[in-house]
Amino acid sequence: MVPMDVVAVIRHKVASEGVPIREVARELGLSRNTIRRYVRANKIPVPRPEKQVRPSPVRDEVATAAAAIWRARRSFTAGKQRLTAKRLWELLRENGHTASERTVRRLVAEFRSGEREVTVPLVYTPGELAQVDFFEVWVEPSGIRQKAWMFVMRLMHSGRDFAMLCAQQDATWFLAAHVAAFTYFAGVVAAVAYDNLSAAVAKILVGAPRLLRPRFAALCAHYAFEPRFCRPGEGHDKGGVERRGGHVRRQHLVPIPRGESLAAMTTALQARLDAQHSRNPMYVEAWARERSALRPLPAPFDGRQVRTVQLRHHASYLVAGAHYSVPSRWCGQMVDLFLGIDTVTFAKGDETICHPRVAFGGRSIDYRHLLLPLSRKPQALRQVAHELVAQFGSPWPELWETLCNRYSPDLIEAARRLAPWLERADREGVGRVKRAIITALACGTLVPFLQRTRRTETLAAVPLALSEYAVETPDLSRYDVLLERASA
């Protein structure tokens, strides 16, 4: 190859000075065809220096053994327990090889480069595909920093995003986020791509078919979309949402978002994403096309987890690490449990009990469900009386305060006096007893009159010798009078 400085002389003499090709060839000692080729060339080839390969006998010796171990690595690794360059170097040293760690690292780089997959640019038609993933984030609801999960659904044709901050990465939040996403887009795409997260996939079978969770399968059937799953351990199969989720976490959640609740912070985050999307005219046009291609939205799917549970003797049930009360008359029976992202509902027939969902380790106890057991346990009633009367509302706090003042400092006696009112409320209803309490407080008689059910069995015949005797009906008010006289 002719040096570049000689090429420059050839082109300058012929093109600038007008020297004939024959004379230039004679002067430089080159053939006329060579001179003619460089003069007529539109692009001058740049000579590349030849790479000098240095002899490396140690590297050549260890390369075969390292390649054999690298190819067989899947037989002794699994999941994230992967073979690293340093561990490969240690294995080679154990087998008697003396190569340096730097040499092994270069070999591993070559192995990985040879196995690297070739990415294929894809084209998405409007309404064809959305990608979904969860991302771990930190938030500060009510000034308390805690870990949360960001659900992201990205429409691949228009690049439109829906994001929702979730308290947990479980099936309940997963289904609720889907319902919220489809409602936000006002339509349903033909297919949604996922990785193999446990909220959707129960098991990966032989040949890579998936066994879906029942509630997720019901969601797919309700909205009639096709779930598509990535290869295990290959997150780049849905690189669009992976890349977008990382961008949202770095650009829109820094500094750490603050707000009254996760819902409020979700609203603010979605507003930022919408504003960013609207600034790109190309995305706006693509969204107009995709919006018209989405399928009509059916009625919202009930994403609550549903199961039948057996209640035990204590009138509460443990759900997701928190205790929730149920009516005491349901103890020992089977009831339906509906677990949502913000509510926990128990149902038996037409009767339902709904609690706000509390955090792990919390309690949501409504003592109005335990009126009859508390009426029979004064000691337990004394411990929870303040919470009980607060849940009832007026005039129950006034009744409890009056009883405490009258029998102070003996609170157990005050609890005994409150117990008949609870029994009457359980039997007759809270509204009817409320009027009776107001009347009792006005007149100072704090002993309720309990209407006992009459027994239907046949009474025994009274002997003739005892027929002239009359037995008076017991009256607790006389006992109160005796106690007041004794205290005076």
Side-chain angles (χ1 to χ4, degrees):
M1 182 178 290
V2 179
M4 288 302 299
D5 54 347
V6 177
V7 173
V9 171
I10 292 172
R11 292 178 64 87
H12 186 272
K13 283 182 174 293
V14 175
S16 299
E17 300 179 8
V19 180
I21 293 177
R22 183 188 300 271
E23 185 178 344
V24 175
R26 188 186 314 109
E27 180 181 349
L28 297 178
L30 299 174
S31 68
R32 286 176 289 178
N33 290 336
T34 302
I35 302 298
R36 190 177 292 109
R37 183 174 68 250
Y38 283 111
V39 170
R40 297 176 180 178
N42 295 325
K43 183 178 180 181
I44 304 301
V46 179
R48 297 181 180 179
E50 296 183 0
K51 184 177 180 180
Q52 298 180 356
V53 180
R54 298 172 56 186
S56 52
V58 176
R59 183 181 184 278
D60 297 339
E61 177 186 356
V62 78
T64 303
I69 297 176
W70 183 261
R71 285 193 300 268
R73 70 187 186 280
R74 300 192 187 281
S75 63
F76 56 85
T77 61
K80 295 185 178 181
Q81 296 173 238
R82 301 174 181 175
L83 179 62
T84 62
K86 184 174 182 179
R87 183 56 183 154
L88 177 59
W89 171 64
E90 294 174 351
L91 293 176
L92 291 172
R93 286 173 59 89
E94 294 174 4
N95 293 336
H97 296 281
T98 59
S100 66
E101 183 178 354
R102 182 178 181 182
T103 300
V104 177
R105 288 187 182 276
R106 289 178 176 176
L107 288 173
V108 171
E110 293 180 5
F111 298 156
R112 288 175 176 168
S113 177
E115 295 178 351
R116 188 169 301 163
E117 292 184 345
V118 177
T119 59
V120 178
L122 302 178
V123 177
Y124 303 98
T125 59
E128 176 189 6
L129 182 68
Q131 294 182 357
V132 163
D133 204 358
F134 270 113
F135 300 88
E136 181 180 328
V137 297
W138 288 90
V139 294
E140 291 186 3
S142 303
I144 301 176
R145 181 170 297 186
Q146 66 183 39
K147 183 170 68 174
W149 300 90
M150 180 178 64
F151 171 93
V152 178
M153 177 180 287
R154 181 173 179 82
L155 302 183
M156 298 308 297
H157 175 76
S158 62
R160 194 67 183 263
D161 302 306
F162 171 81
M164 178 177 174
L165 297 176
C166 305
Q168 299 179 15
Q169 190 187 6
D170 59 4
T172 304
W173 282 94
F174 182 66
L175 299 179
H178 275 78
V179 176
F182 292 140
T183 303
Y184 169 76
F185 293 132
V188 184
V189 294
V192 182
Y194 306 90
D195 53 17
N196 299 278
L197 68 171
S198 60
V201 178
K203 184 183 294 185
I204 302 177
L205 304 178
V206 177
R210 272 69 172 180
L211 179 62
L212 302 184
R213 301 284 182 185
R215 293 297 292 168
F216 177 70
L219 173 79
C220 298
H222 180 84
Y223 289 106
F225 68 87
E226 175 195 357
R228 300 179 183 176
F229 297 96
C230 303
R231 294 169 295 172
E234 302 291 344
H236 55 267
D237 284 356
K238 52 178 184 58
V241 72
E242 293 275 359
R243 184 168 54 253
R244 179 57 175 163
H247 177 271
V248 172
R249 184 162 49 186
R250 293 186 296 269
Q251 300 298 325
H252 298 281
L253 297 181
V254 177
I256 293 177
R258 300 180 179 180
E260 297 179 358
S261 62
L262 289 178
M265 288 183 283
T266 295
T267 302
L269 174 60
Q270 189 62 51
R272 288 175 59 91
L273 296 179
D274 293 344
Q276 183 184 26
H277 186 274
S278 62
R279 288 195 292 267
N280 191 325
M282 182 178 64
Y283 284 168
V284 173
E285 294 177 3
W287 167 238
R289 294 191 300 269
E290 188 154 40
R291 180 169 50 188
S292 60
L294 296 177
R295 294 202 302 268
L297 187 68
F301 177 76
D302 187 357
R304 297 181 298 176
Q305 298 294 311
V306 183
R307 59 178 182 266
T308 302
V309 298
Q310 171 75 49
L311 299 180
R312 300 188 181 276
H313 63 280
H314 44 274
S316 66
Y317 192 79
L318 182 66
V319 181
H323 289 272
Y324 300 90
S325 64
V326 294
S328 59
R329 62 182 178 276
W330 289 4
C331 290
Q333 302 183 33
M334 303 291 292
V335 299
D336 295 327
L337 170 64
F338 300 85
L339 178 62
I341 60 174
D342 51 6
T343 59
V344 175
T345 303
F346 298 90
K348 185 178 181 298
D350 296 334
E351 188 176 1
T352 60
I353 302 297
C354 186
H355 292 271
R357 187 169 178 178
V358 297
F360 186 92
R363 300 172 59 205
S364 178
I365 305 298
D366 189 343
Y367 290 105
R368 291 171 293 185
H369 298 156
L370 310 173
L371 296 181
L372 190 59
L374 288 175
S375 67
R376 299 171 181 174
K377 299 180 179 181
Q379 191 69 262
L381 178 58
R382 180 181 66 171
Q383 295 181 231
V384 302
H386 290 286
E387 291 82 359
L388 172 67
V389 297
Q391 292 174 355
F392 268 123
S394 181
W396 287 86
E398 293 82 353
L399 173 62
W400 173 243
E401 184 179 359
T402 303
L403 291 174
C404 291
N405 293 335
R406 176 172 294 187
Y407 299 103
S408 178
D410 190 4
L411 292 182
I412 189 65
E413 184 63 27
R416 292 193 183 100
R417 300 294 175 159
L418 182 62
W421 291 103
L422 300 182
E423 183 180 355
R424 182 174 176 181
D426 180 74
R427 180 176 303 177
E428 303 178 15
V430 178
R432 187 173 180 180
V433 174
K434 179 179 179 180
R435 295 188 294 270
I437 293 176
I438 295 175
T439 304
L441 289 173
C443 64
T445 304
L446 302 181
V447 179
F449 174 71
L450 299 178
Q451 295 181 352
R452 301 289 182 181
T453 57
R454 298 181 179 180
R455 296 183 178 180
T456 58
E457 61 266 25
T458 305
L459 298 178
V462 179
L464 182 61
L466 300 178
S467 59
E468 297 181 358
Y469 293 92
V471 179
E472 297 182 0
T473 303
D475 187 0
L476 294 179
S477 60
R478 298 181 180 180
Y479 181 69
D480 291 339
V481 173
L482 292 176
L483 287 178
E484 292 177 358
R485 291 179 179 177
S487 61

